[in-house]
Amino acid sequence: MSVYYSAAKINLFLQVEGLLPSGYHELTSVMQSVSLFDRVEVEFGCDRYALDCGGLSLGSEEKNIVTRMWRLLKKRFSLPGEAHIALEKHIPVGGGLAGGSGNGAAVLRAVMDAFALELSEAEIAGIAAEIGADVAFCCFGGTMLATGIGEKLERLPAMAPGAILLFDGGFHISTPEIFQAYDRIAGEVERASVSAMIEALKSGERDEIGAALFNGLEKAVYPDYASLKQLSETLGAREIPYLMSGSGPTVFALAEPKDVEYFTQGETERGAASFGRVIPVAPVSKGIFTEKEYIAWQKEHGCSCRR
Ligand code: C5P
């Protein structure tokens, strides 16, 4: 049995460049792994395939990313036996944090380790892209520039350390629906330059990163959710840089220690009162942690990383 922890991702920058004939969208995105983890336990050499989602309803077993990843790898590399996979979910499902994609990446890593598969980064990215647009990033993680549909990756300077607050709305948004809504308003969405974000990361200044945050999908999501508008007003009033992650609804904020205290220790948990759960996290330098790496990270940074 092997255990891995897959990290959530946020998008520091997300611009839709256009609609491709495949129905997918070409993107320019800067992605960052953060310290909120799902636990993924995998046992190989079983008689029958089984997926345990800890009682959560995650749709059909066959359509689940981890099942699709296991089936693809079993066929491609003629792997013997079946797998039992158990997920302990902490990353909000359908929240724009690539939780499911990270779980798929963890299964790829588990297979590589268990069957001593030596795959190049290009081979890993190729397999990941067959499963989903964000899976390749989740295999590597850290801070990366993603282009194409999200599968062409380039490493960027690591994001400056510091607290990030995730505001989990507690509801799910369908990514395909948001991209369709975006297509209807694409002409009205302002455009931004990713170079400002890349320069900000190079500078190591959180203020500069805050000023360069951009998500072109926000305009397709915000009008339908009063709670998102309310949250942005609260964060705006406190002058905290914030952005919706991916296709939402999770919003993240680059918080100062006083903001972390305000939102997590207030009598009413202010964020929670208006929006949902508030989860303090920090940037991390990779997407998949072994159990040993995860425990070491927790020891060094405290345990706000898992809920
Ligand atoms: O690849 P993944 O399953 O994560 O994508 C979910 C959906 O999001 C896709 O089916 C597609 O509708 C939309 N999408 C897109 N362009 C991308 C990534 C995702 O249109 N680059």
Side-chain angles (χ1 to χ4, degrees):
M1 186 196 80
S2 40
V3 174
Y4 294 85
Y5 288 82
S6 57
K9 70 89 190 130
I10 56 173
N11 301 81
L12 301 173
F13 185 96
L14 175 55
Q15 178 150 269
V16 182
E17 306 294 356
L19 178 60
L20 297 166
S22 63
Y24 269 78
H25 293 75
E26 199 175 340
L27 308 173
T28 303
S29 181
V30 174
M31 299 164 109
Q32 173 65 52
S33 306
V34 295
S35 61
L36 174 65
F37 299 94
D38 284 342
R39 181 178 189 274
V40 182
E41 186 182 299
V42 191
E43 195 176 342
F44 297 104
C46 305
D47 292 339
R48 281 188 309 126
Y49 177 77
L51 172 62
D52 171 1
C53 301
L56 278 183
S57 155
L58 298 180
S60 106
E61 184 173 287
E62 284 310 306
K63 284 194 187 150
N64 192 292
I65 288 184
V66 297
T67 306
R68 291 196 287 122
M69 177 62 88
W70 164 248
R71 299 245 189 272
L72 184 151
L73 296 171
K74 179 168 166 60
K75 194 164 170 206
R76 180 112 2 129
F77 300 105
S78 306
L79 302 178
E82 269 302 342
H84 282 184
I85 303 176
L87 303 177
E88 194 184 291
K89 300 288 290 180
H90 301 275
I91 303 172
V93 175
L97 298 174
S101 299
N103 301 161
V107 171
L108 173 52
R109 171 70 187 277
V111 165
M112 285 173 64
D113 289 350
F115 296 94
L117 287 184
E118 283 182 21
L119 302 178
S120 67
E121 288 199 350
E123 286 170 315
I124 293 171
I127 290 170
E130 290 182 48
I131 300 293
D134 289 341
V135 183
F137 169 76
C138 293
C139 290
F140 307 112
T143 314
M144 292 186 120
L145 173 67
T147 53
I149 63 161
E151 87 295 4
K152 290 185 192 144
L153 298 167
E154 229 174 275
R155 282 184 216 285
L156 291 173
M159 183 182 182
I164 299 170
L165 290 177
L166 300 180
F167 293 85
D168 164 21
F171 57 97
H172 159 252
I173 289 189
S174 153
T175 304
E177 280 173 26
I178 292 308
F179 274 102
Q180 281 161 19
Y182 177 89
D183 289 336
R184 292 192 289 273
I185 57 155
E188 301 158 30
V189 178
E190 61 168 306
R191 303 191 62 75
S193 159
V194 75
S195 33
M197 178 55 76
I198 295 173
E199 288 309 312
L201 288 165
K202 279 186 196 155
S203 78
E205 298 292 335
R206 293 239 308 172
D207 286 354
E208 286 192 32
I209 296 171
L213 294 174
F214 176 80
N215 185 345
L217 290 177
E218 277 186 340
K219 214 172 180 165
V221 179
Y222 269 64
D224 290 337
Y225 297 95
S227 58
L228 274 170
K229 257 183 86 185
Q230 202 182 331
L231 175 64
S232 21
E233 277 160 21
T234 308
L235 293 168
R238 291 182 69 84
E239 298 183 351
I240 308 173
Y242 68 92
L243 192 72
M244 185 182 81
S245 182
S247 55
T250 306
V251 168
F252 65 89
L254 307 186
E256 299 294 330
K258 66 176 171 23
D259 304 317
V260 177
E261 198 175 312
Y262 178 82
F263 283 106
T264 59
Q265 289 171 19
E267 221 170 68
T268 53
E269 287 206 14
R270 280 117 177 144
S274 64
F275 192 65
R277 213 161 50 118
V278 186
I279 310 169
V281 296
V284 290
S285 60
K286 57 188 169 188
I288 306 296
F289 286 57
T290 62
E291 190 161 42
K292 208 170 150 192
E293 290 166 341
Y294 170 76
I295 291 167
W297 195 94
Q298 238 190 349
K299 248 190 198 157
E300 196 182 332
H301 297 90
C303 52
S304 66
C305 45
R306 194 177 137 199
R307 307 273 302 205

